[in-house]
Amino acid sequence: MNKVTIVAPSVDEKNNVSGISAMTRFIIDNNDQCTYVHFHQGKSDKESANLPSRVYRIVKTYRLWKKHLKTTSTELVHYNFPLDARSIIRDFPFMRYTLKHHIPLVVHIHGGLYLFKKNRPFLINTILRRIFAWPCTFIVLSNKEKTAVEEQFHAGNVEVLPNCIDLKGASQFYRQSIVSSPLHLLYLGRIEPKKGMDFLLETCETLQKKGVDFVVHLAGKDQCDDYYLNQFRKRLGDRFRYEGIVAGDRKTMLLKRCQVFVLPSFYEGVPISLLETMSFGCVPVVTNVGSISEFVDENVNGLFVKQKDSDSIVDAIELLNNDRDRLFAMGCQARRTIFDKQDPRQYVSQLNQIYHLCLDYPTKI
């Protein structure tokens, strides 16, 4: 394998807080069997999200895509594809153009609202049925996802490859039991409604009223013009810390400091933030959505909470706060889970096998 075009948002974690970006960066950094060309698709956290700006970017990027495929001697396209409405509508013509020009295509599914949701809008359902009928290879993050796309769309050539992270930093850290200090809660990712921010805020307000000693840290970009950051500051005062977009040593220090990772999301694939925080011994308090259950075992290495239910998040956090031995034991088990299941070398080997299989499929549509 010589040259692979990999399609993803910006891979600079200072500009973009995204699991897809993190996975793309991991693949490029760890797979020395391929020469990757990163094609930038999707807005960075600093770019405007209004409709005219989005349309302009898509039209401009589509022209660049056609030029890229004509002028770059790429052997294969690795297209990262979350199943949400904007990505489905935007990415369909890009992937179709690839196959029309007989270039092998790997479609890497990264969760999204419409992965498991059965009542889809007509347009979304039609596009997805066409995509999954294409002669290309699909990567999903778990057996649960493989079953979903095979049963709902009769997809063929579906390979399971769970997300993976670099474990170098986490391998040098061993968490100590903390008995008396405030409980440090962490949310890491894009700050937006679908991640359950309203319910996390309600949770923190309730904990504050109950006199629980805690600090909540948010790390990432507020996608709602700082609405949530302002609300957390206003309602929680000095119990709130905004860490900004963290990377490198700053992220490592934050992961070491916090004991609980809170993700009350409405839908996910396998969040990179979940894997990262667990690798540092943080206990996940998360909704059981997407393929999270592939890594979180209820009452063993984490706790599941109900969707859109702040009371269940409060109960979980109080349980951990009141029983620090349990918190420590579950954190150790969370770390052990990631180190047992994650092997960057094996991930790269499986990915290259998928690439070679894809090269054998016909690409005409």
Side-chain angles (χ1 to χ4, degrees):
M1 182 71 63
N2 292 319
K3 186 175 287 186
V4 176
T5 293
I6 190 163
V7 183
S10 170
V11 295
D12 184 348
E13 58 185 334
K14 296 179 181 177
N15 295 327
N16 202 44
V17 180
S18 160
I20 295 176
S21 297
M23 271 311 306
T24 302
R25 188 166 55 249
F26 170 85
I27 290 169
I28 293 172
D29 289 346
N30 286 274
N31 191 358
D32 59 7
Q33 299 299 307
C34 297
T35 299
Y36 283 100
V37 179
H38 172 223
F39 185 87
H40 188 158
Q41 171 69 292
K43 81 175 193 71
S44 71
D45 290 333
K46 296 180 180 179
E47 291 180 302
S48 173
N50 64 53
L51 182 59
S53 296
R54 283 183 178 273
V55 172
Y56 173 77
R57 276 196 302 270
I58 292 170
V59 173
K60 179 181 178 181
T61 306
Y62 188 66
R63 291 172 181 164
L64 292 173
W65 181 241
K66 292 195 290 185
K67 180 180 179 181
H68 173 82
L69 293 185
K70 289 177 181 178
T71 59
T72 305
S73 56
T74 188
E75 292 185 44
L76 180 145
V77 170
H78 181 152
Y79 206 107
N80 290 288
F81 184 46
L83 298 192
D84 57 57
R86 288 175 177 173
S87 295
I88 292 167
I89 294 170
R90 178 197 66 196
D91 294 337
F92 173 72
F94 286 80
M95 294 188 289
R96 185 175 184 273
Y97 186 88
T98 304
L99 289 178
K100 281 285 187 181
H101 286 73
H102 312 295
I103 300 173
L105 175 66
V106 171
V107 180
H108 197 159
I109 308 297
H110 291 272
L113 174 63
Y114 294 111
L115 178 56
F116 294 105
K117 189 178 178 67
K118 295 184 178 180
N119 297 321
R120 306 178 185 90
F122 176 78
L123 176 61
I124 297 297
N125 203 50
T126 300
I127 293 174
L128 287 178
R129 287 190 177 279
R130 290 190 64 180
I131 289 173
F132 283 110
W134 285 342
C136 58
T137 304
F138 300 95
I139 296 176
V140 295
L141 306 180
S142 68
N143 288 313
K144 181 180 179 182
E145 294 186 10
K146 177 180 172 72
T147 299
V149 298
E150 288 178 340
E151 290 183 350
Q152 296 178 56
F153 301 107
H154 307 292
N157 306 327
V158 182
E159 302 289 338
V160 177
L161 187 62
N163 283 343
C164 192
I165 58 172
D166 193 313
L167 297 172
K168 293 176 184 175
S171 66
Q172 301 171 11
F173 174 70
Y174 295 90
R175 188 172 295 278
Q176 302 298 315
S177 179
I178 298 176
V179 177
S180 59
S181 67
L183 190 68
H184 286 267
L185 313 176
L186 172 63
Y187 171 82
L188 175 63
R190 290 188 172 181
I191 301 168
E192 56 189 350
K194 67 183 182 182
K195 297 294 187 178
M197 286 297 104
D198 295 292
F199 300 94
L200 178 56
L201 179 56
E202 287 180 13
T203 295
C204 292
E205 284 189 293
T206 301
L207 292 173
Q208 185 172 236
K209 291 175 183 176
K210 288 189 168 189
V212 176
D213 191 10
F214 76 96
V215 176
V216 60
H217 303 257
L218 297 190
K221 176 69 169 62
D222 192 330
Q223 304 293 309
C224 302
D225 298 322
D226 289 345
Y227 167 78
Y228 285 110
L229 296 183
N230 291 332
Q231 290 298 311
F232 272 85
R233 290 189 185 105
K234 178 181 177 181
R235 301 189 195 183
L236 300 179
D238 59 6
R239 293 188 184 275
F240 170 64
R241 303 281 189 278
Y242 177 52
E243 304 292 346
I245 297 175
V246 293
D249 291 340
R250 285 191 63 224
K251 179 189 278 190
T252 299
M253 292 302 296
L254 184 61
L255 294 175
K256 290 179 178 179
R257 185 178 189 185
C258 296
Q259 299 104 16
V260 178
F261 172 63
V262 188
L263 180 65
S265 184
F266 303 163
Y267 54 88
E268 291 288 342
V270 175
I272 296 298
S273 56
L274 173 71
L275 305 182
E276 289 178 331
T277 53
M278 288 178 68
S279 74
F280 277 83
C282 292
V283 177
V285 173
V286 294
T287 45
N288 189 3
V289 294
S291 298
I292 286 179
S293 60
E294 295 287 316
F295 289 90
V296 178
D297 190 357
E298 171 74 346
N299 287 317
V300 176
N301 63 5
L303 296 172
F304 286 127
V305 295
K306 299 176 183 176
Q307 288 189 51
K308 303 180 181 181
D309 186 344
S310 60
D311 289 341
S312 66
I313 309 174
V314 170
D315 291 342
I317 292 173
E318 283 194 302
L319 177 67
L320 295 172
N321 184 60
N322 295 335
D323 190 345
R324 295 300 179 95
D325 289 339
R326 184 174 191 169
L327 173 69
F328 177 67
M330 292 178 74
C332 291
Q333 189 60 47
R335 182 181 188 277
R336 188 175 300 115
T337 297
I338 300 303
F339 277 82
D340 286 347
K341 290 190 173 186
Q342 298 274 280
D343 184 340
R345 290 172 299 180
Q346 183 178 352
Y347 181 95
V348 169
S349 176
Q350 287 182 254
L351 179 62
N352 286 330
Q353 289 177 29
I354 292 170
Y355 284 167
H356 286 293
L357 286 172
C358 182
L359 291 173
D360 295 333
Y361 296 141
T363 57
K364 187 176 181 180
I365 59 172

